Amino acid sequence: MQAYSPPTQGRGAAVRLDFNENTVGCSPSVTVAVAQALSANSVAMYPEYGSAREIISSFFNVDSEQMAITNGTDEAIQLLVNTFMDTGDELIITSPSYAMYRFYAEVSGVVVKEVKYLLHGNLSFPMNELLGAITPSTKAVFIANPNNPTGGAISIPEIRHILDAAPNAMVLIDEAYVEFCGVTAIGLLHEYENLFISRTMSKAYGMAGLRCGFLLSSASNMGWVRKAQSPYSVNFVAIAAALAAIGDKEYVENYVREVIQARSFVVAELDRLGIQQFDSNGNFVLFMVGKHAERIVSELRNAGVLVRNRSHEFEGSVRVTVGTTEQMELFIQELEKAL
Ligand SMILES: Cc1ncc(COP(=O)(O)O)c(C=O)c1O
């Protein structure tokens, strides 16, 4: 296995455009809820999930039996592998995509089959290749929608196509960036027993540090998942924060609106600079700077702007998280200097 390389230390003081987080922070109602939740007694108790599960599942428009609260999407992925897969089972992922699919699969000895996004295909979703890769022995297909780091998203008819093509596999649609894209597969849950959906509070909601996510599927699938889940994997502060975050719709809607506007600004500015880039439905944009990638990333870092070199996936590519227009103006200004 390749070890995952976590963020470098000391990111808090910089403009964080490297991990697709919310770049301005969570809603103020979340920090208030966290402060109110903390007492010597509440800290002493094991967390309770009952009423939170009711509230959060109705937020997603599903029954509470159809959902598990997880320690981020990462626990959701791990739970799927632990619950339904054995050593030697086959998982199909697209490549590049979110690194943790391969990570948890490899920890469990699951065989990973990759379907590649191609530069000469303009990084469009490799649908035909994916459908061609599915066999009767495929146990799972994990897809990020929108995909990180390529940015593209697939439509509901395309998701149906995959679900129909892999009736005996579990199909995970990871909706970590759904707020920036607007297409959710939740409406398909009542039709497809093989569909799983993960959601996270780490991105638009600005709660990456608290580790809270959700896994949704049929009640019977989720019965198995919850059985295999550690009983107290999500702490009570994260639960209090998540309830406050979903209660402050306005904050997330405003942030998403701001990011989408700033994304158009970034796209236009990269165009002006003659830089190749790929259409994004998320809060990030992948662009190509050729052999200068490492130097540009390092010069931006020296100027206090963190972005991610993705050359290990596509030579010369850099991914920038989109935050506010003001932050993106700074990014473009520093990028232009580095160029
Ligand atoms: C596609 C995708 N899913 C999930 C995550 C992480 O989610 P969480 O913080 O909920 O574990 C990321 C983070 O980069 C991601 O890109």
Side-chain angles (χ1 to χ4, degrees):
M1 282 182 66
Q2 290 237 310
Y4 178 73
S5 58
T8 46
Q9 291 286 302
R11 298 171 57 247
V15 181
R16 299 174 282 101
L17 308 181
D18 52 347
F19 278 84
N20 298 348
E21 299 152 330
N22 180 313
T23 61
V24 295
C26 64
S27 151
S29 57
V30 169
T31 46
V32 168
V34 167
Q36 284 175 349
L38 285 171
S39 71
N41 193 44
S42 60
V43 169
M45 285 168 53
Y46 285 98
E48 294 173 358
Y49 302 123
S51 60
R53 264 188 52 201
E54 296 295 330
I55 296 168
I56 297 166
S57 56
S58 63
F59 172 75
F60 290 126
N61 250 323
V62 299
D63 292 338
S64 60
E65 290 75 36
Q66 289 184 268
M67 185 193 73
I69 307 175
T70 61
N71 195 285
T73 307
D74 291 353
E75 192 200 5
I77 298 163
Q78 185 180 30
L79 272 172
L80 285 181
V81 173
N82 286 353
T83 309
F84 297 109
M85 303 187 86
D86 286 319
T87 301
D89 280 351
E90 179 189 284
L91 163 70
I92 300 179
I93 57 174
T94 57
S95 172
S97 191
Y98 184 45
M100 290 295 118
Y101 307 147
R102 172 176 282 282
F103 177 92
Y104 289 115
E106 287 186 343
V107 169
S108 291
V110 163
V111 177
V112 180
K113 202 158 146 189
E114 281 185 352
V115 176
K116 294 206 183 307
Y117 280 88
L118 298 176
L119 264 183
H120 65 257
N122 219 17
L123 301 190
S124 57
F125 186 79
M127 182 58 99
N128 290 337
E129 294 74 8
L130 177 78
L131 295 177
I134 294 169
T135 69
S137 61
T138 301
K139 204 69 183 274
V141 182
F142 289 177
I143 290 167
N145 196 40
N147 188 44
N148 170 22
T150 53
I154 53 175
S155 63
I156 296 296
E158 287 173 306
I159 293 172
R160 279 184 185 280
H161 216 111
I162 297 165
L163 289 161
D164 288 332
N168 301 319
M170 54 173 165
V171 176
L172 171 68
I173 304 295
D174 173 349
E175 297 188 340
Y177 302 101
V178 72
E179 292 83 3
F180 304 102
C181 156
V183 174
T184 176
I186 286 182
L188 301 179
L189 279 173
H190 67 285
E191 280 181 63
Y192 289 94
E193 185 68 22
N194 55 338
L195 172 62
F196 292 78
I197 297 170
S198 59
R199 289 290 192 96
T200 183
M201 303 305 286
S202 296
K203 304 298 179 184
Y205 288 93
M207 283 175 38
L210 281 172
R211 314 302 302 128
C212 188
F214 311 100
L215 184 60
L216 315 173
S217 187
S218 70
S220 80
N221 286 338
M222 292 313 297
W224 295 109
V225 170
R226 278 198 305 274
K227 210 166 165 182
Q229 185 177 24
S230 165
Y232 303 115
S233 61
V234 182
N235 71 69
F236 80 100
V237 180
I239 298 289
L243 292 174
I246 63 171
D248 192 354
K249 250 177 108 176
E250 200 185 333
Y251 185 84
V252 173
E253 282 173 5
N254 286 341
Y255 183 70
V256 167
R257 199 174 310 120
E258 168 85 46
V259 167
I260 290 173
Q261 206 175 325
R263 190 173 67 196
S264 304
F265 168 77
V266 171
V267 166
E269 286 295 287
L270 292 175
D271 268 347
R272 177 179 67 80
L273 296 170
I275 293 175
Q276 186 191 5
Q277 57 182 299
F278 303 96
D279 287 346
S280 174
N281 297 276
N283 63 337
F284 52 88
V285 176
L286 189 72
F287 60 95
M288 305 296 278
V289 286
K291 60 181 193 283
H292 302 293
E294 198 175 326
R295 179 183 60 78
I296 286 172
V297 169
S298 133
E299 287 187 23
L300 283 169
R301 189 186 313 116
N302 293 340
V305 179
L306 306 178
V307 297
R308 201 89 185 270
N309 188 351
R310 306 297 298 205
S311 290
H312 56 288
E313 290 155 339
F314 298 113
E315 188 58 39
S317 67
V318 172
R319 189 193 67 197
V320 62
T321 300
V322 179
T324 64
T325 301
E326 199 182 319
Q327 289 169 329
M328 303 326 286
E329 280 167 357
L330 176 66
F331 157 69
I332 291 291
Q333 182 188 313
E334 294 302 332
L335 175 66
E336 208 165 351
K337 275 191 215 162
L339 286 168

